Structure formats: structure tokens, C-alpha cells
Amino acid sequence: MKNNLKVERAIHDMTQADLAEKIGVSRQSINAMEKNKYVPSTVLALKIAKLFKKPVEDIFILEEDD
């Protein structure tokens, strides 16, 4: 699963630590998501989408091999 977290953070002028604090996870979790090493839970994906005011599908992209 790909994602646009880094792009969305840049648009909103947020650091990984800023985003992590707002959604209640560690900065390392954000880093792992951005590197596609960690797939967030549905609840976490929804929190991120709500924060950025975008549909989940605009932030997290399901690939054919997922």
C-alpha cells in the first residue's frame, strides 16, 4: 500500500512529530508509514484522513499486489 503522507504533511507544514502528536502515535510510526514499512489500522487511517480533510483513498493507495 502506497501513501501520500509526506506530501500531505508538507502541504500542511507539519513535521512527522506534529502529525504523530495530533493522531496519538509515535514519530517512528509516521516514519514507518511513509517508508511503506507499516500499514496503519483502519481507525488510524481514518484519523489521518479526517485530520487532512480528505477521503482515505486520497491518502492511502491500494496496489494490485496488496
Side-chain angles (χ1 to χ4, degrees), residues 24-40:
V25 298
S26 69
R27 184 202 56 78
Q28 291 85 351
S29 293
I30 301 300
N31 185 279
M33 279 187 263
E34 288 183 359
K35 291 182 177 183
N36 297 317
K37 293 182 178 181
Y38 170 69
V39 176

Side-chain angles (χ1 to χ4, degrees):
M1 178 183 299
K2 289 185 180 181
N3 67 68
N4 295 320
L5 276 180
K6 193 170 186 176
V7 173
E8 289 297 327
R9 279 194 311 100
I11 290 168
H12 292 86
D13 195 30
M14 277 186 198
T15 65
Q16 288 181 341
D18 293 335
L19 176 56
E21 184 179 328
K22 288 180 186 291
I23 61 171
V25 298
S26 69
R27 184 202 56 78
Q28 291 85 351
S29 293
I30 301 300
N31 185 279
M33 279 187 263
E34 288 183 359
K35 291 182 177 183
N36 297 317
K37 293 182 178 181
Y38 170 69
V39 176
S41 68
T42 305
V43 172
L44 187 53
L46 289 169
K47 283 182 181 181
I48 293 167
K50 184 176 180 179
L51 178 70
F52 291 135
K53 298 181 177 138
K54 294 219 169 164
V56 173
E57 298 85 3
D58 285 359
I59 300 170
F60 297 97
I61 300 99
L62 189 64
E63 296 181 296
E64 284 187 31
D65 60 339
D66 286 338

